[in-house]
Amino acid sequence: MTWTHPIAAKWPAEFPERLQLYSLPTPNGVKASIALEELGLPYEPHLVSFETNDQLSPEFLSLNPNNKIPAILDPDGPGGKPLVLWESGAILIYLAEKTGKLLSRDPAQRYETLQWLMWQMGGLGPMFGQLGFFHKFAGKEFEDKRPRDRYVNESRRLLGVLDKHLKGRQWLVGDAYGIADIAIFPWVRNLIGFYEAGDLVAWGSYPEVARVLDVFLARPAVQRGLNIPARG
């Protein structure tokens, strides 16, 4: 299968017949790599380095004008035609529907899964990301701690919502592991790991979240996906 796209000028495909992933192992980026590992789809990962501003290169912008990762190019998209797709939530839905896995075909369970996916994209991810900025990065130099505390308090609230929901459940939607779990738990891991914000959010107050996070991180596909694409 052949395809042409300006992205290949910077990231040439060794296996052009495979789905192409352009990403970085961040909480949003690993959503795609974990899903691909779980689904067993053949794919070729390409590292988009923020250190060299790859995301602002003309080649990457030709794929995603919003200059964010992850993005994919599937040479075998709908109707057998190449498909370019960006936004991690959209990619998760597409991969699930392409394979018939990780997203229930039962309408009620499907929409419950999409509900939690949207909750992560609109709430948990942005709030955790802002907390990380104000706690670990440039924001930590600000004397006024009200912005940080705003995101701390909202992150605590969201963790409380998640903890309450997970009580008595194996995964977000009953016993069915799916794209909502893949969307949410990399962000939880990042909050208490890379952002070092466990004390700020009173991590010990969320035993159900901690329980499911441990099970999530024990999955072999998750362990692989968390390090894809490999950093140079």
Side-chain angles (χ1 to χ4, degrees), residues 4-232:
T4 59
H5 193 282
I7 194 75
K10 189 174 179 68
W11 290 278
E14 184 178 357
F15 304 99
E17 73 282 2
R18 299 180 185 178
L19 185 148
Q20 305 292 307
L21 170 67
Y22 307 89
S23 190
L24 184 70
T26 67
N28 279 333
V30 299
K31 294 178 194 176
S33 53
I34 290 172
L36 286 163
E37 289 293 318
E38 293 280 9
L39 294 168
L41 281 171
Y43 72 102
E44 182 175 354
H46 304 277
L47 180 70
V48 180
S49 174
F50 289 175
E51 294 180 358
T52 54
N53 289 323
D54 282 352
Q55 76 277 16
L56 301 177
S57 66
E59 293 86 357
F60 188 77
L61 291 173
S62 72
L63 190 77
N64 182 1
N66 196 40
N67 65 272
K68 303 291 183 182
I69 57 93
I72 64 170
L73 190 159
D74 185 0
D76 186 25
K81 298 179 180 179
L83 173 72
V84 167
L85 198 61
W86 42 274
E87 279 297 321
S88 59
I91 291 171
L92 286 177
I93 295 170
Y94 172 72
L95 294 176
E97 292 187 336
K98 179 182 177 73
T99 59
K101 301 175 182 178
L102 299 178
L103 181 60
S104 176
R105 295 182 181 180
D106 173 76
Q109 290 189 12
R110 171 185 169 84
Y111 284 111
E112 186 178 358
T113 300
L114 294 177
Q115 164 189 272
W116 284 104
L117 175 62
M118 300 305 167
W119 180 82
Q120 182 279 308
M121 294 168 58
L124 186 136
M127 293 304 106
F128 284 11
Q130 294 292 347
L131 189 160
F133 171 81
F134 283 103
H135 177 58
K136 181 162 184 173
F137 297 109
K140 68 181 179 181
E141 306 299 332
F142 297 175
E143 292 185 10
D144 187 348
K145 298 305 179 187
R146 286 176 295 180
R148 184 203 69 177
D149 291 346
R150 165 182 168 81
Y151 295 113
V152 168
N153 291 335
E154 182 62 5
S155 294
R156 287 179 175 178
R157 187 190 72 81
L158 291 166
L159 284 167
V161 171
L162 186 59
D163 197 73
K164 183 178 180 180
H165 176 76
L166 287 172
K167 189 172 184 179
R169 290 181 170 89
Q170 185 174 356
W171 298 106
L172 262 296
V173 183
D175 294 331
Y177 173 73
I179 59 174
D181 305 287
I182 293 172
I184 288 170
F185 286 102
W187 272 105
V188 176
R189 170 183 177 266
N190 205 66
L191 178 72
I192 62 172
F194 182 68
Y195 288 161
E196 302 173 341
D199 290 342
L200 273 181
V201 299
W203 175 243
S205 301
Y206 315 105
E208 300 298 329
V209 180
R211 170 182 61 84
V212 180
L213 176 63
D214 287 345
V215 177
F216 176 76
L217 294 176
R219 296 179 68 89
V222 171
Q223 294 173 11
R224 295 192 300 271
L226 286 171
N227 296 298
I228 297 174
R231 295 178 186 268

